[in-house]
């Protein structure tokens, strides 16, 4: 198996070293990652400036490692176009420092890099560790990466249309309760921006904010993680609200009113 590994914390982050090393037990590994941290880059692409891709030495054995002057999505696209003779069998992203649950998947560069695989019919898995600690220990997360991959491969669950979003609790190994297969939970971010002043007296802002969990279901990603489980959420890029499409095709004709077609509704905005 040929595995492409990327992340959004940058090629020097300890999480990608742990992930590439774990991936090495399942196949040959190519690393392509941003040359600096690009967390919360989502799917952004570099289109107005040149991209540089430099072959670099990597701390653990891999076939190739590339440092890219772009975003996580740039890395995956560029590696598949220029760094590899044929598409990989699997794309892995992470291990991110910080969980990616609920709507985080829309902002996350870690999840975006993995999604690039699914966009191209390549199975993908994104891994995140639930900690913001800059000295985080990825050794135990790495063991869960191996267990997760073994489980997904043995159960024949890897699918070219599905991204597995995996979140690992930052707990001592004995406290982790095992896997829980989950759905995306519902949270709301109450964003706040801290206003500070630079030495010239000009104001600048720093995003803070708190998360409010709106979901009580233990089988959603954020609650599983909170309860000490490794959360595995299968997700896909299809976002169409099918029930609304269905409702459009079944709009009941009210008394005295002519039934409108979905097209006329759309036109009326
Ligand atoms: Mn990150």
């Amino acid at each position: 198996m040929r595995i492409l590994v990327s992340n959004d914390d940058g090629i020097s982050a300890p999480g990608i070293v742990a992930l590439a090393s774990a991936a090495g037990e399942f196949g040959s590994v190519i690393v392509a990652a941003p040359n600096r941290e690009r967390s919360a880059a989502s799917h952004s692409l570099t289109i107005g400036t040149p991209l540089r891709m430099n072959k670099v030495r990597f701390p653990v054995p891999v076939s190739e490692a590339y440092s890219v002057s772009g975003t996580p999505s740039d890395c995956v696209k560029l590696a598949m176009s220029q760094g590899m003779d044929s598409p990989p069998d699997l794309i892995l992203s992470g291990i991110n420092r910080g969980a990616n649950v609920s709507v985080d998947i829309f902002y996350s560069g870690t999840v975006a890099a993995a999604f690039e695989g699914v966009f191209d019919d390549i199975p993908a898995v994104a891994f995140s560790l639930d900690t913001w600690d800059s000295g985080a220990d990825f050794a135990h997360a790495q063991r869960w990466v191996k267990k997760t991959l073994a489980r997904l491969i043995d159960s024949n669950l890897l699918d070219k249309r599905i991204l597995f979003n995996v979140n690992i609790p930052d707990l001592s190994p004995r406290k982790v309760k095992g896997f829980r297969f989950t759905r995306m939970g519902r949270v709301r971010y109450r964003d706040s921006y801290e206003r500070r002043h630079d030495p010239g007296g000009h104001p600048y802002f720093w995003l803070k904010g708190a998360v409010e969990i709106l979901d009580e279901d233990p089988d959603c990603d954020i609650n599983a993680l909170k309860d000490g489980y490794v959360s595995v959420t299968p997700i896909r890029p299809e976002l169409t609200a099918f029930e609304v499409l269905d409702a459009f095709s079944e709009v009941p004709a009210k008394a005295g009113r002519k039934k409108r077609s979905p097209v006329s509704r759309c036109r009326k905005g």
Side-chain angles (χ1 to χ4, degrees):
M1 184 150 70
R2 292 165 63 252
I3 304 170
L4 175 59
V5 172
S6 192
N7 77 345
D8 76 357
D9 290 342
I11 195 156
S12 309
I16 196 169
V17 179
L19 178 57
S21 167
E25 295 192 9
F26 296 85
S28 68
V29 175
I30 291 183
V31 173
N35 60 2
R36 61 183 175 91
E37 182 177 349
R38 302 303 293 259
S39 290
S42 187
H43 282 284
S44 57
L45 293 173
T46 302
I47 55 172
T49 53
L51 277 174
R52 308 280 178 187
M53 180 168 77
N54 296 314
K55 205 178 266 196
V56 292
R57 290 167 64 112
F58 201 70
V60 294
V62 293
S63 354
E64 314 275 0
Y66 298 100
S67 168
V68 178
S69 66
T71 64
S73 288
D74 287 327
C75 292
V76 172
K77 284 171 170 290
L78 194 56
M80 291 206 287
S81 162
Q82 302 293 319
M84 311 181 79
D85 300 331
S86 57
D89 303 297
L90 177 63
I91 294 187
L92 303 179
S93 183
I95 306 168
N96 189 59
R97 185 168 65 90
N100 280 304
V101 289
S102 186
V103 292
D104 297 342
I105 66 162
F106 290 99
Y107 301 98
S108 166
T110 306
V111 177
F115 253 141
E116 291 297 333
V118 177
F119 290 171
D120 240 344
D121 284 345
I122 298 163
V125 190
F127 293 96
S128 303
L129 176 63
D130 186 20
T131 179
W132 288 108
D133 184 356
S134 57
D137 176 13
F138 285 87
H140 105 89
Q142 187 187 44
R143 285 193 285 277
W144 280 102
V145 167
K146 291 179 199 171
K147 282 186 194 179
T148 308
L149 289 177
R151 175 89 182 258
L152 293 176
I153 292 167
D154 293 348
S155 312
N156 222 6
L157 284 170
L158 288 180
D159 185 313
K160 62 185 182 184
R161 291 187 185 86
I162 303 293
L163 159 63
F164 287 94
N165 184 37
V166 180
N167 283 280
I168 301 163
D170 188 32
L171 297 172
S172 66
R174 265 181 290 138
K175 286 191 178 154
V176 180
K177 294 176 184 164
F179 288 111
R180 190 173 269 175
F181 283 81
T182 56
R183 61 171 182 79
M184 277 171 67
R186 284 195 328 114
V187 306
R188 182 182 296 131
Y189 279 100
R190 280 181 296 176
D191 292 333
S192 65
Y193 287 84
E194 190 169 305
R195 185 186 171 100
R196 301 180 187 176
H197 288 89
D198 67 20
H202 305 291
Y204 66 94
F205 302 90
W206 210 280
L207 178 59
K208 291 168 66 184
V211 64
E212 189 184 346
I213 302 176
L214 305 175
D215 220 312
E216 287 174 5
D217 182 1
D219 290 328
C220 75
D221 51 12
I222 193 160
N223 288 336
L225 194 57
K226 214 157 48 79
D227 293 343
Y229 289 90
V230 175
S231 165
V232 181
T233 313
I235 54 178
R236 58 179 151 227
E238 169 61 77
L239 297 175
T240 308
F242 285 104
E243 72 282 11
V244 178
L245 278 188
D246 290 346
F248 274 140
S249 64
E250 291 162 11
V251 177
K254 286 192 184 150
R257 255 207 240 157
K258 219 178 134 192
K259 184 176 171 178
R260 288 186 301 178
S261 76
V263 174
S264 67
R265 279 197 158 202
C266 286
R267 282 186 185 144
K268 284 177 184 173

